[in-house]
mmCIF file of all heavy atoms in Angstrom:
data_model
loop_
_atom_site.group_PDB
_atom_site.id
_atom_site.type_symbol
_atom_site.label_atom_id
_atom_site.label_comp_id
_atom_site.label_asym_id
_atom_site.label_seq_id
_atom_site.Cartn_x
_atom_site.Cartn_y
_atom_site.Cartn_z
ATOM 1 N N ILE A 358 13.289 -3.072 0.129
ATOM 2 C CA ILE A 358 13.756 -2.519 -1.147
ATOM 3 C C ILE A 358 14.948 -3.321 -1.669
ATOM 4 O O ILE A 358 14.999 -3.671 -2.850
ATOM 5 C CB ILE A 358 14.118 -1.021 -0.981
ATOM 6 C CG1 ILE A 358 12.823 -0.201 -0.861
ATOM 7 C CG2 ILE A 358 14.955 -0.516 -2.155
ATOM 8 C CD1 ILE A 358 13.028 1.253 -0.504
ATOM 9 N N GLU A 359 15.883 -3.633 -0.809
ATOM 10 C CA GLU A 359 17.070 -4.387 -1.235
ATOM 11 C C GLU A 359 16.714 -5.827 -1.651
ATOM 12 O O GLU A 359 17.212 -6.329 -2.659
ATOM 13 C CB GLU A 359 18.132 -4.377 -0.156
ATOM 14 C CG GLU A 359 18.771 -3.029 0.049
ATOM 15 C CD GLU A 359 19.321 -2.427 -1.224
ATOM 16 O OE1 GLU A 359 20.002 -3.138 -1.998
ATOM 17 O OE2 GLU A 359 19.042 -1.238 -1.473
ATOM 18 N N ILE A 360 15.874 -6.486 -0.888
ATOM 19 C CA ILE A 360 15.464 -7.873 -1.215
ATOM 20 C C ILE A 360 14.761 -7.901 -2.558
ATOM 21 O O ILE A 360 15.075 -8.717 -3.429
ATOM 22 C CB ILE A 360 14.597 -8.462 -0.095
ATOM 23 C CG1 ILE A 360 15.436 -8.712 1.155
ATOM 24 C CG2 ILE A 360 13.908 -9.745 -0.572
ATOM 25 C CD1 ILE A 360 14.613 -9.026 2.399
ATOM 26 N N LEU A 361 13.800 -6.999 -2.732
ATOM 27 C CA LEU A 361 13.038 -6.984 -3.984
ATOM 28 C C LEU A 361 13.909 -6.531 -5.154
ATOM 29 O O LEU A 361 13.768 -7.070 -6.261
ATOM 30 C CB LEU A 361 11.803 -6.107 -3.836
ATOM 31 C CG LEU A 361 10.754 -6.668 -2.884
ATOM 32 C CD1 LEU A 361 9.655 -5.650 -2.615
ATOM 33 C CD2 LEU A 361 10.160 -7.959 -3.421
ATOM 34 N N ARG A 362 14.814 -5.594 -4.925
ATOM 35 C CA ARG A 362 15.722 -5.146 -5.992
ATOM 36 C C ARG A 362 16.583 -6.318 -6.471
ATOM 37 O O ARG A 362 16.810 -6.489 -7.656
ATOM 38 C CB ARG A 362 16.602 -3.998 -5.506
ATOM 39 C CG ARG A 362 17.527 -3.456 -6.621
ATOM 40 C CD ARG A 362 18.366 -2.295 -6.143
ATOM 41 N NE ARG A 362 17.482 -1.151 -5.902
ATOM 42 C CZ ARG A 362 17.652 -0.258 -4.940
ATOM 43 N NH1 ARG A 362 18.679 -0.361 -4.119
ATOM 44 N NH2 ARG A 362 16.827 0.737 -4.803
ATOM 45 N N SER A 363 17.063 -7.151 -5.531
ATOM 46 C CA SER A 363 17.914 -8.280 -5.916
ATOM 47 C C SER A 363 17.149 -9.310 -6.755
ATOM 48 O O SER A 363 17.750 -10.090 -7.466
ATOM 49 C CB SER A 363 18.502 -8.961 -4.668
ATOM 50 O OG SER A 363 17.505 -9.655 -3.954
ATOM 51 N N ALA A 364 15.820 -9.281 -6.667
ATOM 52 C CA ALA A 364 14.992 -10.175 -7.488
ATOM 53 C C ALA A 364 14.465 -9.480 -8.739
ATOM 54 O O ALA A 364 13.658 -10.047 -9.480
ATOM 55 C CB ALA A 364 13.814 -10.677 -6.648
ATOM 56 N N GLY A 365 14.894 -8.254 -8.972
ATOM 57 C CA GLY A 365 14.514 -7.539 -10.190
ATOM 58 C C GLY A 365 13.260 -6.694 -10.062
ATOM 59 O O GLY A 365 12.703 -6.284 -11.078
ATOM 60 N N PHE A 366 12.795 -6.445 -8.842
ATOM 61 C CA PHE A 366 11.595 -5.643 -8.643
ATOM 62 C C PHE A 366 11.955 -4.279 -8.055
ATOM 63 O O PHE A 366 12.948 -4.151 -7.343
ATOM 64 C CB PHE A 366 10.615 -6.351 -7.682
ATOM 65 C CG PHE A 366 10.093 -7.638 -8.238
ATOM 66 C CD1 PHE A 366 10.710 -8.845 -7.885
ATOM 67 C CD2 PHE A 366 9.008 -7.665 -9.105
ATOM 68 C CE1 PHE A 366 10.235 -10.037 -8.391
ATOM 69 C CE2 PHE A 366 8.537 -8.862 -9.611
ATOM 70 C CZ PHE A 366 9.150 -10.060 -9.249
ATOM 71 N N ASN A 367 11.111 -3.287 -8.337
ATOM 72 C CA ASN A 367 11.356 -1.938 -7.869
ATOM 73 C C ASN A 367 10.240 -1.528 -6.909
ATOM 74 O O ASN A 367 9.130 -1.199 -7.337
ATOM 75 C CB ASN A 367 11.410 -0.969 -9.064
ATOM 76 C CG ASN A 367 11.640 0.460 -8.647
ATOM 77 O OD1 ASN A 367 12.213 0.715 -7.584
ATOM 78 N ND2 ASN A 367 11.200 1.395 -9.450
#
Side-chain angles (χ1 to χ4, degrees):
I358 287 172
E359 290 307 314
I360 290 168
L361 292 171
R362 183 178 292 145
S363 71
F366 296 96
N367 179 25

